[in-house]
Amino acid sequence: MALRTLASKKTLSLALGGGARPLAAAAAARGVATTVSLPDLPYDFGALEPAISGEIMRLHHQKHHATYVANYNKALEQLDAAVSKGDASAVVQLQGAIKFNGGGHVNHSIFWKNLKPISEGGGEPPHGKLGWAIDEHFGSFEALVKKMNAEGAALQGSGWVWLALDKEAKKLSVETTPNQDPLVTKGASFVPLLGIDVWEHAYYLQVISFCWN
């Protein structure tokens, strides 16, 4: 449903070469990363209606993304304490929480920037270098939408579908990651151009509304 909503509205309009900013570099000598903060949206919650309702955007940003930020920062504080104590078991135990919540923050920070209101040029198919690259590697924009929809539907459980630039192969590709794994887990050469959230929290309220109506 999320893929159909986003792709059918042709929100694949991100310039070639975009991507996520890396998390801040380690601030302490022992190498523990600094905490992160919830980014502001570059548009109002209701600016993407009717494609995505304002209620979903508010909940997605203010609750779900905010929770990833809070839990990531908490895990970093615990990691700092564990490193200071030399507690190797605690350090290992915290890696899952850091990956999941840190990935959730990275992925959603990309996701918000992928979306743009129609009044600001959103909803238009990509042009220029990105449009040419899509035609070259997928045949057409419509073929890319179809492939991303298929990959999202086939994803077991929750996760993400990505339009990526493979810097080593010098081509575009469609990739999937489970849960909140960021695209970098598929390889350092992949640059995320577009991330589509296949988690239910990205669309479930709108599905319920559609079914009720």
Side-chain angles (χ1 to χ4, degrees), residues 29-49:
R30 54 182 171 269
V32 178
T34 57
T35 56
V36 299
S37 59
L38 182 68
D40 293 331
L41 293 183
Y43 38 73
D44 294 334
F45 291 118
L48 304 178
E49 292 183 345

Side-chain angles (χ1 to χ4, degrees), residues 2-3 6 60 64-65 68 100 102-115 148 151-163 174-183 185-186 192 194-202:
L3 284 170
L6 292 174
H60 199 170
H64 295 288
H65 190 172
Y68 294 129
F100 180 78
H105 170 62
V106 169
N107 293 345
H108 284 86
S109 296
I110 297 170
F111 181 70
W112 307 131
K113 294 178 181 179
N114 285 164
L115 305 174
M148 296 191 77
E151 293 287 347
L155 191 62
Q156 295 292 323
S158 301
W160 290 76
V161 180
W162 302 94
L163 173 62
V174 173
E175 305 291 333
T176 62
T177 54
N179 302 313
Q180 290 295 349
D181 288 8
L183 183 60
T185 59
K186 299 294 289 284
L194 172 72
I196 297 181
D197 192 347
V198 193
W199 280 70
E200 288 186 354
H201 66 227

Side-chain angles (χ1 to χ4, degrees), residues 6-86:
L6 292 174
S8 64
K9 293 297 182 180
K10 297 184 178 179
T11 53
L12 306 179
S13 55
L14 186 68
L16 183 62
R21 292 183 178 179
L23 296 176
R30 54 182 171 269
V32 178
T34 57
T35 56
V36 299
S37 59
L38 182 68
D40 293 331
L41 293 183
Y43 38 73
D44 294 334
F45 291 118
L48 304 178
E49 292 183 345
I52 307 177
S53 76
E55 183 181 10
I56 289 176
M57 290 296 294
R58 183 182 299 276
L59 181 67
H60 199 170
H61 181 263
Q62 297 286 292
K63 179 181 179 181
H64 295 288
H65 190 172
T67 298
Y68 294 129
V69 168
N71 288 341
Y72 176 72
N73 289 339
K74 179 180 179 180
L76 285 186
E77 292 175 0
Q78 294 172 334
L79 177 64
D80 193 7
V83 170
S84 297
K85 296 176 182 177

Side-chain angles (χ1 to χ4, degrees), residues 102-161:
H105 170 62
V106 169
N107 293 345
H108 284 86
S109 296
I110 297 170
F111 181 70
W112 307 131
K113 294 178 181 179
N114 285 164
L115 305 174
K116 183 179 291 186
I118 293 176
S119 61
E120 297 178 12
E124 294 295 326
H127 302 289
K129 292 182 179 180
L130 180 57
W132 300 333
I134 288 173
D135 289 343
E136 178 182 354
H137 296 117
F138 301 102
S140 67
F141 176 77
E142 290 71 22
L144 171 61
V145 171
K146 184 177 181 180
K147 180 173 178 61
M148 296 191 77
N149 281 339
E151 293 287 347
L155 191 62
Q156 295 292 323
S158 301
W160 290 76
V161 180

